[in-house]
Amino acid sequence: MNLSERDLLYNWHPYTQHKTASIFPAIVKGKDALLWDENGMEYIDAIASWWVNPYGHSNQVIADAIYKQLTTLEHVLFGGFTHDKAVELSEKLIAILPSNQKKIFYSDNGSTAVEVAIKVALQFFYNKGNKRTKIIAFEDAFHGDTFGAMAASGISFYTQAFSDSLLEVVRVPVPTAGNEEKALQILKGHLETNEFAAFIFEPLVLGAAGMVMYQPEVLDKMIAICNNNNVFTIADEVMTGFGKTGKTFATDYLINKPDMMCLSKALTGGTIPMAITTFTQEIFDGFYDDDVNKALFHGHTFTANPTGCAAALASISLLQTNEMQDNIQRINQSHLAFESKINNHPKVKTTRILGVIFALEVKTENEESYYGTMRNKLYNFFIEKGVILRPVGNIIYILPPYIITDNQLQKVYQTIENALEIV
């Protein structure tokens, strides 16, 4: 049996209905924007393997940093100890984060980064003797699969089996063009009740919803409303962080900064699972007390893993190079050129771009489900053509590694054009 056949004997894959799923290509090698399977088939990784590999596969700079760290200190518990790489990474992050961010908490992945933020928001008010039990989130949001993160997520088929077991979350519409005032008024109405600990949002781009985009000006207004009502704001930058939107963080487009930020995915350049939740000094001080019970009793075995910290330090250094910043602008300009070419295609309903993110909505007669027939047909077509794209319903999106070549980008664009002829 080959690897793909052996895989099916034992492995349970994420977001997969195995009874109807196709056999999975077995990837054996990756370099830059390319992956190769066990049969020698070459693929362009046009979504950076779920948005985590902005500097490409098998990046030598990150690999060298990991190797060096492994020969010095692979891991040490962070409960009661610290180490140089955690200190250096925190210093580096504080230097590039919004200036109100003062404290950093380490965890393992995007869901846990969100989980920490939600728990902190709830416990802050509990510690103050002002218990609040609800949070606010966008409709169609996605924040992860642990229970708090899942509760904040608004895509029902992810959460409907657990609806009776989730934290209470109230929704506001995503403030897309023409919908801004409605979203602002609904948010204001909810906050009059003084029941809410936090408002969590994906800043400017809702990834899993299909790269739904909205403007920074309206998010600034929403944060201001929360500030005026003593409700914390949580920016989930797990997807948008580290250059995806054209700036280091999507919140860099804002005047009003969030109280907490959640980071993961590209943090370590796609090498080692790691996540971070950041906080203002005010939030940290809400746990700083002689009463031990007011501490944040949350942790993970691999919190602040030194090897992951070393990878993150190398990744951030790569992001800050002129070459990588130029690549981000190059991809953005390439997306804009493709948009001008494809916009009037009879099968294209809308397109949208921010930074290296490109999204195209295919015209459909009926509402297309998240994992529906059209999505599966498109996905299989792309794989057959050697391009890794994962449509969301009828939304095709590109979120490539920053080191993708112009020729590779053109192949991705051409493959999308060809795909439009089969839908």
Side-chain angles (χ1 to χ4, degrees), residues 15 22 55 73 125 131 149 177 220 254 295 317 343 369 407 423:
Y15 307 117
S22 303
Y55 319 110
L73 175 67
F125 289 103
K131 187 176 180 181
D220 266 321
L254 302 175
S317 294
N343 237 344
S369 65
N407 286 339
V423 295

Side-chain angles (χ1 to χ4, degrees), residues 30-51:
K31 184 62 181 174
D32 298 333
L34 298 176
L35 294 166
W36 289 268
D37 69 18
E38 62 183 328
N39 300 312
M41 176 76 173
E42 180 182 280
Y43 304 86
I44 299 173
D45 188 356
I47 58 168
S49 285
W50 263 342
W51 324 332

Side-chain angles (χ1 to χ4, degrees), residues 106-127:
Y106 290 91
S107 60
D108 295 352
N109 58 69
S111 294
T112 57
V114 169
E115 203 79 16
V116 170
I118 292 172
K119 288 179 69 175
V120 164
L122 296 173
Q123 188 179 336
F124 178 93
F125 289 103
Y126 180 85
N127 283 356

